[in-house]
Amino acid sequence: MKYFNVTVLSKGKKRIEVVKAEHKMAAIKMVKKANPGQMVQKAVEIPAPMGAQIEDMLSGIKKGFEKKIDLNSKISSIRQIAVMTDAGISIHDAITEVGNNMENPKLKEIYLKIGNDINAGKSIADSIEPYTEEFGHVTIAMTKLGEQTGNISGAYSKLANILEDIRDNIKKFKKAIRTPLITLGAMAVAFTIMIMIVVPKFKEIFEKFDHALPVPTQILLFLENLFNNYGLYVLGGLAVIIYGLLYFYKSDEKFKYKIDKLLVHPKFYLIHKVIFFATMHKYTLVFSELVKSGIPVSEALDTAVGMVDNSYIKDKLLTVNANIARGISLSDAFEQTELFENMLLQMIRAGEQGGQLDAMLDKVTEYYDARFQDLIDNLATYIEPIMMFFIAGLVLLMALGIFMPMWDLGKAVK
């Protein structure tokens, strides 16, 4: 969310209102709605006020302790609504029934509110739109599609399939990376314990040496002093740094953009490929499914790009819709992003010319999925050299730090 100074003209006088919104047009729309009959001249983005920054930070801490809505619960509830509406139950009764049976209190509250709004005469899309952050852009798009076609059941079944595909990839990635992380964590803990327990045993001997100690030994002694005397401060400092980085990543768009751009740089071994293929698979999956469901290409592009988390890739994909509005073909618009390989562009171009765009988009999605699955399946093989280098470095430092002075012990005694 950003902050804007919005200039309002009322009875010949100007006044400034500070509003918080996702973008400039949303800020203007918000002020117009709050001040009917008054002229809104312009909106200028401003840095977040100090009070707002503190409030956002406290809110972020509070949200961190709140129980999040589990993706499995969302998928299960959407699938239930699809089944119940397919059986002829009204959408209001289906949502209310699902809400009453929800175990997640936050999701239960949301569904009951949506049910009340529908009962009050609102459309399904208008009722669910305030919860875009919880459900995502694709849920809003599929809800609108279901309303337009009168087939909520079919739209929600397709939505559940999309979310299940995304969930399965997330689960597979977490499973693949779990073992390497546990191994590296165990090595780090073991190294820390040896620094704090083993090194002090040799410290008195090392301090009696008249000549300079080897560099590895000096590093071990420095770490031993740091961990034993300032260990809690080190942990506290690391926690503050990590939280600070996460906070700025979530709240500062410029900082997030720089980090996201860095993460997809080819110099970031393996990480850039995992992020790129996972992001592009999610984007093309949602886009192709929406196009097949009958949503216009421009609207499908807007919804699909809303699923992209990496701001650097998202910034490039946002240009696609703007270029299409200028009369450029979809394949040419994709080509200008420099994100798609030539083979994929040719497939999309052939689909456009032959009237089989949805089929070709399916092929593109399968390609990105295959590349992502190959990375995940062979993740252990790719990470093994890094793990071996890390483990060898720790063992070598410990061995050299302790045994190099011992080799010179005879000279020291003489």
Side-chain angles (χ1 to χ4, degrees), residues 97-117:
E97 182 65 23
V98 168
N100 286 327
N101 290 291
M102 275 287 107
E103 292 183 3
N104 186 295
K106 188 174 181 179
L107 193 57
K108 180 175 185 175
E109 181 185 355
I110 289 172
Y111 274 128
L112 292 177
K113 284 182 178 178
I114 291 172
N116 291 334
D117 287 343

Side-chain angles (χ1 to χ4, degrees), residues 143-157:
T143 302
K144 289 179 180 177
L145 175 68
E147 277 193 306
Q148 290 169 5
T149 59
N151 186 13
I152 283 287
S153 172
Y156 271 27
S157 292

Side-chain angles (χ1 to χ4, degrees), residues 7-8 23 29 49 79-80 92 120-121 130 172 178 211 240 298 301 323 343 363 395 399 409-410:
T7 305
V8 182
H23 47 79
K29 186 177 179 181
R79 186 73 75 186
Q80 287 177 54
H92 167 262
K172 194 169 184 180
R178 187 181 300 136
H211 58 285
V240 170
S298 59
L301 285 168
N323 286 331
M343 174 190 70
K363 297 294 182 184
V395 173
L409 186 58

Side-chain angles (χ1 to χ4, degrees), residues 350-363:
E352 282 185 296
Q353 295 172 356
Q356 294 183 326
L357 180 61
D358 52 351
M360 287 304 171
L361 286 174
D362 274 344
K363 297 294 182 184

Side-chain angles (χ1 to χ4, degrees), residues 78-349:
I78 290 168
R79 186 73 75 186
Q80 287 177 54
I81 293 171
V83 171
M84 292 172 75
T85 52
D86 188 47
I89 299 173
S90 70
I91 185 64
H92 167 262
D93 291 344
I95 288 177
T96 304
E97 182 65 23
V98 168
N100 286 327
N101 290 291
M102 275 287 107
E103 292 183 3
N104 186 295
K106 188 174 181 179
L107 193 57
K108 180 175 185 175
E109 181 185 355
I110 289 172
Y111 274 128
L112 292 177
K113 284 182 178 178
I114 291 172
N116 291 334
D117 287 343
I118 293 172
N119 195 41
K122 282 188 177 182
S123 67
I124 310 168
D126 289 342
S127 301
I128 202 172
E129 195 164 1
Y131 309 104
T132 303
E133 186 177 343
E134 287 79 10
F135 286 103
H137 295 278
V138 69
T139 301
I140 307 301
M142 295 304 288
T143 302
K144 289 179 180 177
L145 175 68
E147 277 193 306
Q148 290 169 5
T149 59
N151 186 13
I152 283 287
S153 172
Y156 271 27
S157 292
K158 181 73 71 175
L159 172 62
N161 292 337
I162 294 172
L163 294 178
E164 282 175 355
D165 202 339
I166 294 171
R167 178 200 62 189
D168 291 342
N169 278 342
I170 293 172
K171 188 185 292 185
K172 194 169 184 180
F173 175 73
K174 288 181 177 180
K175 184 178 179 181
I177 206 169
R178 187 181 300 136
T179 301
L181 287 178
I182 291 173
T183 304
L184 291 176
M187 282 299 302
V189 170
F191 180 75
T192 303
I193 292 173
M194 291 184 71
I195 288 287
M196 297 177 69
I197 297 175
V198 176
V199 173
K201 304 293 183 183
F202 295 90
K203 188 175 180 181
E204 294 181 4
I205 300 173
F206 295 158
E207 287 176 347
K208 293 177 182 178
F209 285 13
D210 293 330
H211 58 285
L213 292 168
V215 173
T217 307
Q218 293 180 34
I219 294 174
L220 289 181
L221 292 176
F222 169 77
L223 292 174
E224 182 274 334
N225 180 60
L226 183 68
F227 291 164
N228 281 321
N229 297 320
Y230 307 100
L232 293 177
Y233 297 105
V234 171
L235 286 175
L238 286 173
V240 170
I241 290 171
I242 292 171
Y243 177 78
L245 289 172
L246 291 174
Y247 172 76
F248 283 112
Y249 181 79
K250 291 178 180 178
S251 60
D252 190 324
E253 289 194 3
K254 291 181 179 178
F255 180 76
K256 183 180 187 302
Y257 183 84
K258 290 178 181 178
I259 296 296
D260 286 344
K261 185 177 180 180
L262 187 66
L263 289 174
V264 294
H265 195 279
K267 289 183 179 179
F268 260 75
Y269 172 75
L270 193 62
I271 293 175
H272 77 281
K273 287 186 177 181
V274 172
I275 294 174
F276 178 77
F277 287 125
T279 302
M280 295 305 294
H281 171 253
K282 187 192 296 186
Y283 174 78
T284 53
L285 170 68
V286 174
F287 179 52
S288 64
E289 291 294 343
L290 294 179
V291 169
K292 282 194 296 183
S293 299
I295 292 179
V297 170
S298 59
E299 189 177 335
L301 285 168
D302 283 338
T303 303
V305 83
M307 300 291 293
V308 177
D309 298 321
N310 187 283
S311 55
Y312 176 71
I313 297 177
K314 187 174 186 176
D315 192 52
K316 285 181 171 290
L317 291 172
L318 281 169
T319 63
V320 175
N321 219 348
N323 286 331
I324 287 178
R326 289 165 45 207
I328 297 176
S329 67
L330 180 63
S331 55
D332 289 339
F334 277 152
E335 186 175 6
Q336 291 186 18
T337 65
E338 299 179 347
L339 294 174
F340 294 83
E341 297 176 27
N342 187 51
M343 174 190 70
L344 302 179
L345 292 171
Q346 290 177 0
M347 290 168 62
I348 295 171
R349 191 169 287 117

